[in-house]
Amino acid sequence: MRALLVVNPAATTTSARTRDVLIHALASEMKLEAVTTRYRGHARDLGRQAAEAKDIDLVVALGGDGTVNEVVNGLLHHGPDPEGLPRLAVVPGGSTNVFARALGVPNDAVEATGAILDALRERSGRTVGLGLAAGTPGTEDESAPDRWFTFCAGFGFAAGVVGRVEQQRERGKKSTHALYVRQVVRQFLEEPHRRQGMITLERPGQNPVRDLVLSIVCNTAPWTYLGNHPVYGSPGASFDTALDVLGLSRLSTSAVARYATQLLTSTPDKGLHGRHALALHDLTEFTLHSKVPLPFQMDGDHLGLRTSVTFTGVRRALRVIV
């Protein structure tokens, strides 16, 4: 087997020594080329090269959700082909690692490497669905490039929180759960649209859903993790179905307290619910429009402001090793 290992040297939970151990372990079982990323988008370029090489069987991403997202977008540059493209394996190296953990991969990098090697010996794997976000024809964002996401996208309030966290990390702050909580509070205090949402959801054959303050598109459950605690925004979301949408039409102080409590106590059977909550399951195609430019994020990567995004849920998009 020939494999490419894409290593993010800035992965927050792996040291250089740990990465050397992982590379040695993988190289003992396969013909391995390890490449360290040098710039933003490098992992995507490496994924595309692997897909076009035709002689690479496996791409291993060592890093957080951002690294995985780049690799996936490179692999799927020419579209999904689960049987023809290299398979994907993930060694978690970020602070949250939602995609890997949702697949059942151990959150420890060394244990994850062992699990990958066991899965390869046993020829174990699965084909997962992914989400695709694109510019909406006829809008000012129609030229936005298509981009795949593995577990989550957000438009509005929650995406604004992600943008704030990224700004703090660029200033040298560590990505901790306390940092996220502080940015949620600041986003809430400065959110101008929390009582009257700007977002409209449109889907074929259905009436529009208007005045959403935030919208979260889920491709799996849990939605995220607080340490070792899973948070289920849309418990029915799955890699085996299309996309789920979670929306809120109001973010008053009392509503925030109520929905925050629901998230912290969520389970695989119970997510957000209530008069101002919207939960839609297994959507193949829909569009989110906004009256004003709003923050947009995918897999925890803030992508700036958008007024419209069209989403497609693609079942059986990529083969992964688990």
Side-chain angles (χ1 to χ4, degrees):
M1 175 181 291
R2 185 181 176 194
L4 171 69
L5 173 64
V6 179
V7 181
N8 179 0
T12 57
T13 58
T14 58
S15 65
R17 179 176 295 179
T18 300
R19 292 193 288 271
D20 288 342
V21 171
L22 303 183
I23 291 172
H24 180 76
L26 292 169
S28 67
E29 299 286 340
M30 62 192 73
K31 185 177 180 181
L32 181 72
E33 178 186 4
V35 180
T36 299
T37 58
R38 300 189 306 273
Y39 53 86
R40 188 182 182 96
H42 192 187
R44 181 194 61 231
D45 295 341
L46 293 170
R48 179 178 178 179
Q49 291 167 16
E52 295 173 345
K54 304 301 182 184
D55 60 349
I56 293 180
D57 305 293
L58 174 68
V59 176
V60 183
L62 171 52
D65 288 310
T67 301
V68 175
N69 179 277
E70 286 195 14
V71 170
V72 166
N73 273 277
L75 286 172
L76 299 184
H77 179 80
H78 299 292
D81 182 7
E83 304 305 321
L85 289 172
R87 292 168 293 172
L88 173 71
V90 179
V91 177
S95 58
T96 310
N97 308 304
V98 177
F99 179 65
R101 294 167 80 175
L103 286 171
V105 175
N107 200 39
D108 176 80
V110 175
E111 292 183 15
T113 302
I116 290 170
L117 293 175
D118 288 343
L120 289 171
R121 295 186 192 106
E122 297 167 5
R123 300 183 181 275
S124 174
R126 63 181 292 192
T127 304
V128 299
L130 298 172
L132 179 66
T136 305
T139 71
E140 61 186 64
D141 292 315
E142 65 178 346
S143 62
D146 295 359
R147 181 159 172 170
W148 296 89
F149 60 97
T150 63
F151 68 91
C152 177
F155 192 42
F157 179 88
V161 174
V162 170
R164 288 176 176 272
V165 170
E166 281 196 7
Q167 289 178 348
Q168 294 300 311
R169 292 184 65 182
E170 289 172 357
R171 296 170 184 168
K173 300 289 186 180
K174 290 186 177 180
S175 179
T176 64
H177 300 300
L179 175 63
Y180 274 89
V181 171
R182 289 196 299 271
Q183 301 316 311
V184 168
V185 173
R186 290 176 180 173
Q187 181 71 22
F188 172 74
L189 294 175
E190 299 178 17
E191 174 59 56
H193 310 298
R194 65 175 183 259
R195 293 186 180 275
Q196 181 64 45
M198 297 286 108
I199 302 169
T200 297
L201 184 150
E202 295 182 350
R203 48 191 169 136
Q206 302 290 330
N207 292 327
V209 180
R210 305 183 187 279
D211 301 330
L212 297 174
V213 178
L214 68 78
S215 52
I216 298 171
V217 182
C218 294
N219 189 47
T220 189
W223 165 49
T224 190
Y225 292 83
L226 293 175
N228 291 322
H229 180 70
V231 178
Y232 295 88
S234 296
S238 167
F239 289 128
D240 297 321
T241 62
L243 301 173
D244 282 26
V245 178
L246 172 66
L248 293 177
S249 59
R250 189 172 182 181
L251 280 181
S252 62
T253 303
S254 59
V256 167
R258 181 168 63 254
Y259 293 128
T261 300
Q262 289 182 10
L263 282 174
L264 292 174
T265 59
S266 60
T267 70
D269 301 313
K270 189 175 183 180
L272 288 190
H273 56 278
R275 184 159 59 97
H276 300 293
L278 169 74
L280 300 173
H281 176 59
D282 197 17
L283 302 187
T284 301
E285 184 177 351
F286 59 95
T287 298
L288 296 173
H289 298 284
S290 174
K291 301 174 185 176
V292 297
L294 292 177
F296 178 54
Q297 69 88 13
M298 296 174 67
D299 285 348
D301 186 11
H302 188 260
L303 300 178
L305 302 178
R306 298 278 184 89
T307 57
S308 185
V309 186
T310 294
F311 293 89
T312 304
V314 181
R315 296 179 178 87
R316 298 185 57 80
L318 186 66
R319 188 77 176 164
V320 296
I321 299 297
V322 288

